[in-house]
Amino acid sequence: MQVNIELDQSVDRSYKVLIDELVGLEFDTKVVIVTNPTVAKFHLDEVKSLVKATKLDVITIPDGEKYKNLETIEFILGECFKLRLDRKSLLIALGGGVIGDMTGFVASVFQRGIKFIQIPTTLLAQVDASVGGKTGVNSKYGKNLIGSFWQPNGVYCETKFLKTLPSREFSAGVAEIVKMAVTFDRDFFEWLENHDIRDEENLKIAIAKSIKTKARVVSLDEREAGVRAVLNYGHTFAHVVENETEYKKYLHGEAVSIGIVMANELALRLGLLSKEEEIRVKYLLQKYDLPIDYEVNSAEDFYEHFFLDKKSHNDMIKFILPDSIGGYKMIDNIDRSLVLEVLKDFE
Ligand code: NAD
Ligand code: GLY
């Protein structure tokens, strides 16, 4: 015997990402802004003045990736209950990717799911983390392995908020922009080569271009069954770099920059990328002071570390490689010896 559960497919979860259009937000519900002291010091007053709600509260959590864990989620949930939020209440994530990922996760589980809005304040969060609905926390089992897909109900990217961002953090965001240009958009890559996105107007263009790319990818493959994995270009190597350096030496975007360079070396050997293209990508990363070198201690150990990554299935490592600039290939049967050759060049 079989009973079919027919679910309503018509619920529209689409949303808008607005760039520099945060003039006011009005809700007839309780609203809570989740932020940290660093971001609050610079931008909380302004955001509070723009939000009208039945009741507006703020939950502040400590700043840092090391607080991106279930303990902090429990704390935020506890505060939500103390503030008597209900199923109609709404959360606002005000901060970088850490705040966004955790606020989204809380929104996905509080009373089985409530609405939330992203106001990303780092470049990385504006061009990548705030869009696409990946939420979650780190645990002893790995980074971002506990979480959910829960789309925000709107994203507001205010480029003026980036003015207070340390330049290293800005560059870390640039690495994710380069990632999207190299794999999806040759024209955008060439535009980046010829423009400096530290300039305000260029920055807006680069953010908009990146968000459009991310939006297209997420619309095609929300749950990462296929093309969304391309957004992990550079990340397979980057995760090992972050792991080996205990998340202390490099910001995530800096490790992605190194990972892009390593992936490109592999693409070069496979004939997917020309030497000239490989140099152009390095040059673009260097323009924003991003690291392009890494000293591999042992190529064999580095290779073994790939298997700690959630993207390796059944002992196969899926490499996302550029296929010329502006294209990509996902390959999971590359000879170990070829990868080791690349890694040995970094020893
Ligand atoms: P972050 O959130 O830790 O922010 C970096 C630092 O900048 C923090 O100290 C923060 O307090 C500070 N900061 C934020 N905005 C500021 C501002 N306007 N002025 C001054 N300081 C400011 O780091 P991040 O790079 O934004 O995000 C990294 C996180 O995002 C990681 O946890 C990563 O896993 C996650 N991520 C998620 C996705 C996704 O799709 N959900 C994608 C990429 C990354
Ligand atoms: N940052 C990768 C993704 O959103 O899928």
Side-chain angles (χ1 to χ4, degrees):
M1 198 163 104
Q2 172 180 310
V3 179
N4 288 340
I5 312 291
E6 305 287 345
L7 294 176
D8 181 4
Q9 302 290 327
S10 68
V11 180
D12 187 8
R13 293 176 301 120
S14 308
Y15 54 95
K16 288 187 172 52
V17 181
L18 296 166
I19 303 169
D20 290 341
E21 290 194 27
L22 181 57
V23 283
L25 293 171
E26 236 174 274
F27 306 97
D28 56 359
T29 56
K30 290 182 185 174
V31 172
V32 171
I33 299 171
V34 181
T35 190
N36 72 33
T38 316
V39 178
K41 181 175 73 186
F42 294 122
H43 307 297
L44 180 60
D45 286 346
E46 179 171 354
V47 171
K48 272 171 83 176
S49 75
L50 294 172
V51 179
K52 302 271 168 290
T54 332
K55 190 165 172 282
L56 179 62
D57 288 287
V58 177
I59 297 176
T60 308
I61 58 173
D63 185 6
E65 183 82 30
K66 71 171 175 184
Y67 297 103
K68 189 179 164 186
N69 54 33
L70 283 176
E71 218 178 311
T72 308
I73 295 297
E74 216 177 331
F75 169 78
I76 303 172
L77 284 169
E79 294 302 297
C80 290
F81 283 111
K82 282 186 210 158
L83 291 166
R84 294 180 184 277
L85 298 196
D86 56 40
R87 297 210 61 215
K88 291 211 161 76
S89 304
L90 177 135
L91 302 181
I92 296 179
L94 176 66
V98 168
I99 290 286
D101 280 12
M102 281 200 288
T103 307
F105 187 50
V106 168
S108 75
V109 293
F110 182 77
Q111 299 201 14
R112 298 206 175 84
I114 60 171
K115 291 183 176 173
F116 88 111
I117 278 176
Q118 292 266 19
I119 305 185
T121 61
T122 63
L123 182 57
L124 185 142
Q126 293 197 353
V127 298
D128 195 349
S130 64
V131 180
K134 278 190 185 176
T135 83
V137 292
N138 307 325
S139 69
K140 65 180 179 188
Y141 304 105
K143 263 196 94 184
N144 295 328
L145 292 185
I146 297 172
S148 59
F149 284 97
W150 191 252
Q151 299 293 341
N153 298 84
V155 182
Y156 293 84
C157 297
E158 290 299 293
T159 51
K160 67 177 180 228
F161 287 173
L162 302 179
K163 287 191 178 138
T164 55
L165 197 62
S167 66
R168 242 185 108 188
E169 294 288 353
F170 183 89
S171 293
V174 175
E176 304 282 9
I177 294 177
V178 173
K179 163 190 93 175
M180 289 193 248
V182 173
T183 43
F184 288 110
D185 194 339
R186 190 180 182 91
D187 289 347
F188 181 35
F189 182 85
E190 285 170 0
W191 182 91
L192 286 169
E193 290 185 300
N194 296 315
H195 294 81
D196 191 331
I197 65 168
R198 283 163 288 218
D199 167 87
E200 226 170 282
E201 284 312 306
N202 290 338
L203 177 62
K204 273 186 211 181
I205 295 171
I207 291 174
K209 275 268 186 200
S210 307
I211 293 171
K212 276 187 191 156
T213 299
K214 176 125 193 203
R216 188 158 48 86
V217 172
V218 170
S219 302
L220 287 169
D221 178 25
E222 183 187 355
R223 298 272 169 139
E224 200 172 309
V227 68
R228 186 163 180 171
V230 177
L231 297 172
N232 298 322
Y233 163 51
H235 287 58
T236 309
F237 292 93
H239 287 152
V240 180
V241 169
E242 286 179 300
N243 218 286
E244 286 195 347
T245 53
E246 295 172 344
Y247 297 91
K248 287 187 183 129
K249 188 165 176 189
Y250 300 108
L251 298 175
H252 175 66
E254 292 173 335
V256 167
S257 173
I258 294 168
I260 286 175
V261 173
M262 289 177 152
N264 287 1
E265 283 292 338
L266 189 54
L268 184 65
R269 271 161 215 260
L270 289 165
L272 295 171
L273 203 64
S274 69
K275 185 71 196 161
E276 180 249 344
E277 288 176 313
E278 191 239 0
I279 292 169
R280 281 169 65 192
V281 177
K282 265 190 191 163
Y283 189 75
L284 182 55
L285 295 167
Q286 275 181 308
K287 184 165 136 186
Y288 294 95
D289 302 318
L290 283 161
I292 56 162
D293 287 319
Y294 178 73
E295 205 174 310
V296 169
N297 281 324
S298 147
E300 278 84 9
D301 287 355
F302 196 104
Y303 190 88
E304 284 313 306
H305 277 145
F306 282 136
F307 297 100
L308 300 174
D309 193 319
K310 63 178 180 284
K311 281 151 208 101
S312 56
H313 295 290
N314 309 325
D315 290 349
M316 301 300 282
I317 305 160
K318 181 158 65 175
F319 288 101
I320 314 294
L321 301 176
D323 187 7
S324 186
I325 288 175
Y328 64 84
K329 273 216 157 66
M330 293 188 251
I331 316 180
D332 63 7
N333 60 352
I334 299 179
D335 267 0
R336 180 176 185 269
S337 58
L338 188 70
V339 181
L340 284 177
E341 243 179 61
V342 168
L343 294 172
K344 279 186 195 298
D345 275 357
F346 286 85
E347 276 185 344

